[in-house]
Amino acid sequence: MLEASYILEGLWITLQMWGGAFVLSVLLAIPVAMLRGSRNPFAKFIGALWAWIARGIPPIAWLIIIFFGLSLGIISEVPLLAAIVGLGIVNSAYIGDSIRSGVDSVHRGQWEGAASVALSKPQALFRVVLPQAVPVMIASTAAYSITLLKNTAIASIIGANEMVFYAYNAVQVGADPIIAFLTIGIVYLLFTVPVGMFARWIDSRVKRGSGKVAY
């Protein structure tokens, strides 16, 4: 039987992994989005190359490469940290697309208006463009975070003690596999469903308000 204490312990590890990978993916996605939106061909190539590699290699392969294949000291010895790094790299490509789409959704006239009042490009980005782009970014980023949460389940392959790890071990000592993994599935639903509803709500708000934005 899968005990409640194991579920809670696995859930805590899963949430740490989810939160850590999400923060890392955002930190990596910001420069990736800036590179991909650059007018410099080399910078644009570097951003596209990062996104291509991050998305092209399956998440489970990233975890194996980082945990077993790289000599990175503590990262190659702590499954939780290796999972955060691997999932953060993968998700950074998708969050980067979300940031870029949000910035691109703002009409070019906003940049021109900011330039007309002597704002530099960084000032225009943070004072004028990003405040309008954030609602679009939130909707897609929330959706990507659901995929990230579900991907934490594969971290059991490198020994991370998340929920699937405990469910698998419980099955090995006689627990009913249907009950064990169904329980874990329900726990995942308790998190993914609210986040999905929030993403859809934000998306509907953005679509309703898009026609009211004056350019």
Side-chain angles (χ1 to χ4, degrees), residues 28-66:
L28 293 174
I30 293 173
V32 170
M34 294 178 66
L35 287 170
R36 297 193 68 185
S38 173
R39 294 183 179 180
N40 184 301
F42 180 73
K44 198 163 189 171
F45 169 76
I46 294 298
L49 181 64
W50 174 277
W52 178 67
I53 293 175
R55 279 194 296 242
I57 299 176
I60 193 170
W62 272 113
L63 268 59
I64 292 172
I65 290 169
I66 291 172

Side-chain angles (χ1 to χ4, degrees), residues 152-175:
T152 60
I154 65 176
S156 60
I157 196 171
I158 59 172
N161 298 341
E162 43 74 59
M163 292 188 292
V164 173
F165 178 88
Y166 282 116
Y168 179 79
N169 284 348
V171 170
Q172 296 303 303
V173 295

Side-chain angles (χ1 to χ4, degrees), residues 146-157:
I146 295 175
T147 301
L148 175 60
L149 174 58
K150 291 185 290 185
N151 280 343
T152 60
I154 65 176
S156 60
I157 196 171

Side-chain angles (χ1 to χ4, degrees), residues 23 54 89 130 135 177 179 188 199:
V23 170
I89 289 173
L130 280 182
I179 294 177
Y188 274 108

Side-chain angles (χ1 to χ4, degrees), residues 14-15 20 24 28 41 45 47 60 68 117 129 141-142 159-160 176 192 198-199 207 209 212:
T14 296
L15 293 178
L24 177 61
L28 293 174
F45 169 76
I60 193 170
F68 294 109
V117 293
V129 176
T141 299
D176 187 307
T192 58
F198 173 72
K207 288 178 179 177
K212 301 177 183 180

